[in-house]
Amino acid sequence: MSKELAKSPEVLQKEEEIAALEKALKKKKTTLKSLKTRLKNTRQKIEDIQRDTQINIMNKMEDMDNLRIEIAELAAELRNAKNLSEEDREQLGAMAEEMANQSMGEDFEEYKAQRERMQSGDFDFEEEFGERIRDIFGQFQVEPTEAEKKNIRKVFLNLSKKFHPDKAKSDKEAIEYHAIMQKINEAYQNNDIETLLEMERLYLRDEPDFEGVAMADILQQKIDYLNREITFIGNQAERVSEEIRNLRQSDMGQMLTHFDRAEREGEGLDEMAAHLEQGVEIFTKLRDALKDSIKVGGISPKVHELLMEMGEIGMDNDPSVMSLQEMMADITPEEMMEAFEEILGGDVEGLFNIFDDEVPENAKFAVGSSVRIAKDFISNNDDILNMKGWEGRVQEIYHGEGERILYTIEFDSVTTNQMPEAYIKNMTEYEFDFQEADDVDEKYLEAAKPRDTEQDVSIAYRTHYHRHAWDYLDDDQAKRLQKIMMHKPELPDGQNWVIHLKKHLKFPIEVTTMGHVSPAGLPAKITKIEFSDPQAGVIVRVKRKGFKGTDQYMLMDLMCDEKHKHRQLFEDYQEWAEEFVDLDVVLSNTY
């Protein structure tokens, strides 16, 4: 009789339970990995923006500010030149005063104070910056419950006993123990039970002696251990998810959202730096023109050239023989600063204050609350579409010009399902979010009662989005993708792909790599579909030629032969993946 047939019903039942628990644990770990990646990327984006602003943008602003001060001094000095009219002197005095009093914002003033401290030896930028970033992120961390803390500490203590320095038997082992203890301590300080469990599995779980122990009891021990891991990993995933939510809803998260929007609209840090470079160039020309004027004892032709470049003033006479007063007759000092601001791409004083964009304290509606657009409000993306009566939930709150309070509204499923089809089609074509409205002034809004759930909102969006997202493809392929994506509208695209692929593919399938994450043209075999990842799409199990065992691999990086019966399905998946897989994130991870 075979061993399989000799197994008792109890043993078979426990083996099935173990298989199910292992699958559930794998899913929990995948979810946690995705959440960790998302949190890491969000933190990194915020840190990068802060660092780029502190180092790159502020340095350029310092150059501009130094030029501004020099221009003010030169304009004041030029006033004393003998060959000037009283009108010219008045204009130069106004210029000197305007330049001397111009401010570049609170952020820049704080930066200048830091620079002075740094130059005096009282300030280390990297140390201060790192400490500030740690403080920022620390306030959003979610502490484990007391019971979870005890479990984390228990695993930590067991590992610490194993790698205590006194346990080392040689200098080499002492160095190894020190490195391991650093990792243990870091995981413990971050309440990272997943890492501690991995180290426990690696270093503490010796193969037990089960001689004389019933098989059912052995299996039960494994069941208990798996349940323990599922609980621990699930708790950590919930904490990380809440931390992401706290961070995104914070002032820093709102700043990141504003910055992302600015990037999409071509107004990000690179554009800011370009504006500043242009501003430095203009200010440098003005400084040099004033220096030349002082040298010649009158208004230099360079001043005329610069004013022509700034204002493109329509003049009938030859600018080279006109007085400064005549040149600037139609330009007040305020208008001159406006010309500079236009060259710089925005408000000189407020250009770099996006990091002060805190949620207004006096906002009438909170993030997540339901609202209705109660007055005529024309869409920012469609100059004839009136959104009056549309309802949804507040996603963001931010300052507008002056005292205005502005909102981003995500429309609910009822409103989404009633939107004009042409509007949805047009917005989808130009990759705008038809389910959101930006810059809605508070005066247009009134409180409303929720009419649906977040899942209803998601289903409505996916239904309408996929109806038009594939319009650029031929009809047959577009219909195939729509059918796949809407098999279960409540599920994300990746999970719908997994369902579809498991239903239609037969394994193994001969494929070659396409070069997205590894060299192109490597032969391999797909043995099964594993799961979907939010950034990487569908992950498959692959056997690569010349390698032992199997590996996880992105389906996006694999393609079957042109004559293969599943070629069309692979091409459909590639079409989807090109639009939705985030390769920047994928390349920072290994599958």
Side-chain angles (χ1 to χ4, degrees):
M1 183 179 293
S2 69
K3 292 183 179 179
E4 184 67 31
L5 293 175
K7 292 179 180 179
S8 68
E10 183 182 9
V11 168
L12 291 173
Q13 181 182 354
K14 289 185 181 297
E15 286 181 340
E16 289 179 4
E17 186 176 353
I18 287 171
L21 288 171
E22 287 176 337
K23 185 176 181 180
L25 178 59
K26 185 175 183 179
K27 186 175 181 180
K28 290 281 186 185
K29 287 184 175 180
T30 300
T31 299
L32 179 56
K33 180 181 179 181
S34 177
L35 289 169
K36 280 184 171 181
T37 300
R38 185 180 172 195
L39 177 59
K40 178 182 176 182
N41 291 340
T42 301
R43 285 178 168 181
Q44 192 62 53
K45 281 183 180 180
I46 290 173
E47 183 174 341
D48 288 347
I49 293 169
Q50 291 282 329
R51 185 181 296 278
D52 285 349
T53 303
Q54 287 285 316
I55 296 176
N56 299 327
I57 301 299
M58 291 300 185
N59 282 350
K60 289 182 174 65
M61 288 184 71
E62 187 172 26
D63 291 340
M64 276 200 68
D65 198 51
N66 290 335
L67 284 166
R68 173 188 64 81
I69 294 170
E70 191 174 359
I71 288 168
E73 293 172 348
L74 290 169
E77 182 180 349
L78 183 58
R79 287 185 66 196
N80 299 320
K82 294 181 179 179
N83 299 326
L84 291 180
S85 67
E86 284 302 315
E87 292 83 358
D88 287 346
R89 295 182 200 281
E90 288 179 11
Q91 292 290 345
L92 285 167
M95 180 190 295
E97 183 179 358
E98 186 72 27
M99 284 291 184
N101 295 329
Q102 185 65 39
S103 169
M104 288 208 169
E106 294 180 4
D107 276 358
F108 180 70
E109 295 304 321
E110 181 182 345
Y111 167 78
K112 283 206 303 184
Q114 289 179 350
R115 289 274 292 184
E116 291 173 4
R117 287 168 52 205
M118 184 164 50
Q119 290 169 357
S120 67
D122 296 333
F123 174 78
D124 182 281
F125 175 80
E126 285 299 329
E127 181 180 339
E128 194 275 344
F129 180 81
E131 183 178 342
R132 184 160 60 90
I133 289 294
R134 284 191 295 273
D135 289 343
I136 287 172
F137 294 145
Q139 62 184 307
F140 303 114
Q141 290 180 347
V142 180
E143 286 296 311
T145 63
E146 288 302 318
E148 191 180 356
K149 281 184 179 179
K150 289 180 181 178
N151 291 327
I152 295 172
R153 182 164 178 77
K154 184 176 180 181
V155 179
F156 165 74
L157 290 175
N158 289 337
L159 287 165
S160 299
K161 291 175 185 176
K162 170 77 174 178
F163 295 103
H164 192 280
D166 293 343
K167 301 279 184 158
K169 298 177 182 178
S170 65
D171 291 343
K172 181 180 178 181
E173 196 171 62
I175 294 173
E176 293 175 353
Y177 278 21
H178 176 71
I180 293 172
M181 275 305 302
Q182 281 186 316
K183 188 174 180 180
I184 293 170
N185 284 324
E186 182 181 359
Y188 179 61
Q189 290 170 4
N190 293 328
N191 296 311
D192 186 359
I193 188 63
E194 181 193 30
T195 298
L196 293 175
L197 289 174
E198 288 293 337
M199 298 183 77
E200 179 188 65
R201 186 181 299 105
L202 183 62
Y203 298 118
L204 299 182
R205 288 185 65 192
D206 297 325
E207 201 62 42
D209 181 9
F210 287 129
E211 185 177 352
V213 181
M215 178 58 72
D217 293 336
I218 296 172
L219 296 177
Q220 185 59 48
Q221 288 184 31
K222 188 168 185 178
I223 289 171
D224 293 341
Y225 187 83
L226 287 169
N227 278 319
R228 168 179 175 259
E229 277 203 294
I230 288 171
T231 300
F232 288 178
I233 298 295
N235 288 339
Q236 185 174 349
E238 289 178 6
R239 285 191 284 108
V240 175
S241 180
E242 186 175 350
E243 183 174 346
I244 292 170
R245 186 163 54 252
N246 291 344
L247 183 56
R248 293 298 305 197
Q249 292 178 353
S250 70
D251 292 344
M252 296 299 297
Q254 295 292 316
M255 177 275 294
L256 178 58
T257 301
H258 286 304
F259 180 81
D260 286 342
R261 182 191 298 131
E263 285 282 359
R264 291 194 299 271
E265 296 174 357
E267 299 174 3
L269 285 180
D270 290 343
E271 288 72 25
M272 288 182 182
H275 287 318
L276 277 173
E277 289 287 0
Q278 190 175 10
V280 169
E281 181 182 347
I282 293 292
F283 273 37
T284 300
K285 287 181 179 179
L286 179 57
R287 178 201 64 186
D288 293 344
L290 291 173
K291 282 185 175 181
D292 194 56
S293 297
I294 292 171
K295 184 177 180 180
V296 301
I299 301 302
S300 166
K302 291 183 178 180
V303 174
H304 302 153
E305 294 169 7
L306 179 60
L307 290 173
M308 291 284 288
E309 181 180 341
M310 286 177 56
E312 295 184 354
I313 309 166
M315 299 180 182
D316 297 328
N317 300 321
D318 183 355
S320 64
V321 298
M322 295 176 66
S323 70
L324 180 64
Q325 190 272 334
E326 290 172 321
M327 289 278 293
M328 299 184 64
D330 295 325
I331 304 180
T332 65
E334 292 78 12
E335 289 170 334
M336 187 176 187
M337 289 309 298
E338 288 177 5
F340 277 122
E341 290 170 3
E342 184 174 349
I343 290 168
L344 295 177
D347 175 23
V348 172
E349 180 174 357
L351 184 59
F352 303 97
N353 288 346
I354 61 171
F355 305 101
D356 290 332
D357 202 6
E358 300 177 354
V359 175
E361 294 182 0
N362 58 335
K364 184 177 180 181
F365 307 101
V367 171
S369 62
S370 294
V371 292
R372 178 186 302 106
I373 299 178
K375 300 178 181 180
D376 289 339
F377 180 80
I378 304 302
S379 166
N380 294 321
N381 298 304
D382 186 325
D383 56 11
I384 62 172
L385 181 67
N386 192 339
M387 292 182 167
K388 181 180 179 180
W390 291 22
E391 297 186 25
R393 295 174 177 82
V394 174
Q395 294 296 302
E396 297 177 58
I397 312 170
Y398 43 96
H399 292 284
E401 294 181 3
E403 299 298 319
R404 295 173 67 207
I405 298 177
L406 304 179
Y407 294 77
T408 294
I409 309 299
E410 180 185 55
F411 295 116
D412 62 18
S413 61
V414 179
T415 291
T416 302
N417 290 331
Q418 294 173 350
M419 288 179 184
E421 199 68 20
Y423 172 71
I424 295 175
K425 178 180 174 65
N426 186 57
M427 293 286 283
T428 303
E429 180 180 354
Y430 289 100
E431 298 184 354
F432 294 144
D433 189 347
F434 58 82
Q435 209 170 27
E436 281 192 357
D438 292 324
D439 300 337
V440 183
D441 196 303
E442 188 173 78
K443 66 183 181 181
Y444 291 99
L445 300 175
E446 65 181 16
K449 293 182 179 180
R451 302 189 294 184
D452 59 2
T453 65
E454 291 292 343
Q455 187 179 68
D456 294 330
V457 174
S458 176
I459 290 173
Y461 176 82
R462 286 174 48 75
T463 300
H464 292 283
Y465 173 80
H466 284 297
R467 185 176 297 156
H468 298 290
W470 313 106
D471 286 352
Y472 64 93
L473 301 174
D474 64 71
D475 289 346
D476 289 341
Q477 188 174 24
K479 288 177 181 177
R480 290 196 302 270
L481 285 168
Q482 289 168 2
K483 184 177 180 181
I484 294 167
M485 295 300 94
M486 300 314 297
H487 175 64
K488 290 190 174 182
E490 70 276 10
L491 296 181
D493 288 359
Q495 292 184 31
N496 272 314
W497 268 116
V498 168
I499 294 170
H500 186 77
L501 293 168
K502 285 184 175 181
K503 181 178 179 181
H504 290 88
L505 294 182
K506 293 185 179 180
F507 305 102
I509 299 174
E510 299 279 353
V511 292
T512 56
T513 58
M514 296 184 64
H516 289 111
V517 294
S518 62
L522 301 179
K525 287 183 181 179
I526 300 178
T527 60
K528 67 174 181 176
I529 303 294
E530 291 277 49
F531 55 89
S532 71
D533 179 271
Q535 282 81 36
V538 176
I539 304 301
V540 296
R541 178 66 59 178
V542 165
K543 169 68 177 174
R544 290 187 291 171
K545 188 175 182 179
F547 290 83
K548 293 182 179 180
T550 59
D551 299 301
Q552 290 181 348
Y553 223 79
M554 290 173 59
L555 182 60
M556 182 185 182
D557 206 31
L558 302 170
M559 178 58 76
C560 60
D561 186 82
E562 288 186 8
K563 297 181 180 179
H564 197 283
K565 63 180 181 179
H566 294 309
R567 174 74 179 199
Q568 185 184 78
L569 182 51
F570 272 73
E571 289 179 346
D572 287 346
Y573 178 79
Q574 294 294 335
E575 189 66 49
W576 172 85
E578 288 289 344
E579 295 290 332
F580 291 95
V581 168
D582 191 339
L583 276 176
D584 290 336
V585 174
V586 170
L587 291 173
S588 67
N589 295 280
T590 302
Y591 287 97

